Amino acid sequence: MTHPIIFDTDPGVDDAQAIAIALRHPEIELLGMTTTYGNVDVETATHNALLLAQLAGREIPVAQGAAGPMVKERHPPPAHIHGTNGLGDIALPPVTGRAEGVSAAQFIVDTVKARPDEVTLVAVGPVGNLAAALQLDPGIIVRVKRVVIMGGSIREGGNVSPVAEANMFNDPDAAARVLTAGWPLTLVGLDVTHRCVLTDAHMARIEAGQGELGKVLAGSFAFYRDFYREALGIDGCCPHDSCALAWLLCPELFTTARGHLTVATDGDAEGQTIFAPEGRGFIEARWSRTPRVEVCLGVDGAAVSDWIADTLA
């Protein structure tokens, strides 16, 4: 079975690892990449997406999208995590390709219209491009096959606030729209991504198997690993964005639950994803008012990490 996907991304070290999987895996048909601010500014995200495809020897459409949040003020990119250039501040070759002449949102709408019931949207950054696509054409809700979001946290707590994951916090208003739109949606959040660790041994295999792209993946990994060693005390890095593709291709490695999501858009809980399990009653019905979605709560982290390395080795 082949999965035609649009990969919405803000590369980013872990994005680069996931993009390599999308470019390599035989069961993925990468229809295009749409870029957003987040780990870097949107121009750098577009540059990196074009570069990664180029290093893999692929010509993939890249459409530039959101440069900032829908409502709130934009926070500076986290250069201490991904580097100023998003790829660990390693030296990078020049890019020869150019972005598409349409916006990310328009690219999403046009692609889904052209292939109804086939396209899966995999979003691993702030989800403003998906919110903009919904604004352009609400009909994509029933034409898209599935939406997979790397973001949020159900039980794990946050990574940029006590309760919020970075992608949700960066644009909570867009997240509130996208996570409650009513399309088939799976949330792959910190509850599972923090259980997966790419080690030096994994990356050595990946570097050996990926040619010129492997050098960029390994070089940026070293920067990212240093952050995780200090932040979480682990010897490696959490491959957050690759987990979204792992769920798509190997859902048996995950434990999921169905229920209702909401996103806090302001206050101290800004960006928090609030999950009400299906069928559970609360003191008021408001937490169960949104359409049902699927959230990932558990994972075989070692198996996912090995799958990433096996795919790219």
Side-chain angles (χ1 to χ4, degrees):
M1 180 180 179
T2 300
H3 300 272
I5 73 167
I6 296 172
F7 197 71
D8 190 65
T9 178
D10 58 337
V13 179
D14 55 328
D15 302 71
Q17 297 161 359
I19 288 168
I21 293 171
L23 291 164
R24 176 77 169 261
H25 201 286
E27 294 177 21
I28 292 178
E29 180 187 0
L30 184 55
L31 303 175
M33 290 185 274
T34 50
T35 60
T36 179
Y37 81 98
N39 294 327
V40 290
D41 60 62
V42 70
E43 292 82 9
T44 302
T46 301
H47 173 278
N48 290 350
L50 289 165
L51 175 64
L52 294 164
Q54 176 183 309
L55 292 175
R58 298 283 302 279
E59 291 188 9
I60 302 295
V62 176
Q64 186 165 298
M70 289 175 59
V71 177
K72 67 177 281 185
E73 183 178 349
R74 173 185 157 185
H75 287 270
H80 65 293
I81 301 176
H82 296 273
T84 302
N85 70 357
L87 296 173
D89 286 335
I90 62 174
L92 299 171
V95 169
T96 57
R98 298 180 64 180
E100 299 294 296
V102 298
S103 70
Q106 191 66 58
F107 181 86
I108 290 169
V109 168
D110 292 346
T111 305
V112 170
K113 276 186 175 179
R115 299 183 63 168
D117 305 318
E118 294 183 28
V119 179
T120 293
L121 306 179
V122 182
V124 298
V127 294
N129 290 335
L130 274 64
L134 287 168
Q135 183 70 20
L136 283 176
D137 181 9
I140 65 172
I141 291 171
V142 296
R143 286 195 290 268
V144 75
K145 182 176 181 180
R146 177 158 290 277
V147 178
V148 184
I149 305 289
M150 198 306 290
S153 174
I154 307 304
R155 300 169 177 165
E156 180 73 2
N159 60 355
V160 294
S161 86
V163 296
E165 179 274 334
N167 290 338
M168 301 293 105
F169 182 82
N170 275 337
D171 198 343
D173 298 278
R177 176 73 179 99
V178 169
L179 269 57
T180 63
W183 45 18
L185 184 140
T186 300
L187 189 74
V188 184
L190 298 182
D191 303 270
V192 294
T193 67
H194 273 173
R195 308 283 90 78
C196 305
V197 178
L198 278 187
T199 64
D200 285 348
H202 288 128
M203 189 50 62
R205 295 181 60 209
I206 292 169
E207 182 177 12
Q210 286 287 305
E212 290 301 309
L213 178 54
K215 295 177 184 178
V216 171
L217 296 177
S220 60
F221 166 84
F223 189 99
Y224 203 45
R225 178 196 57 208
D226 290 346
F227 165 77
Y228 272 99
R229 183 176 290 136
E230 181 177 344
L232 295 182
I234 62 175
D235 191 16
C237 73
C238 295
H240 299 282
D241 297 344
S242 297
C243 292
L245 294 176
W247 178 85
L248 184 65
L249 295 167
C250 306
E252 68 277 5
L253 299 180
F254 295 79
T255 302
T256 63
R258 288 187 60 79
H260 309 269
L261 274 178
T262 52
V263 181
T265 56
D266 56 21
D268 288 345
E270 178 185 8
Q272 181 179 16
T273 46
I274 302 164
F275 179 67
E278 183 178 47
R280 180 176 172 184
F282 294 93
I283 195 168
E284 294 180 13
R286 55 179 156 144
W287 292 284
S288 301
R289 71 189 184 280
T290 58
R292 289 177 179 83
V293 299
E294 182 178 40
V295 300
C296 292
L297 296 177
V299 66
D300 185 337
V304 167
S305 301
D306 288 345
W307 175 84
I308 294 168
D310 290 344
T311 299
L312 296 176

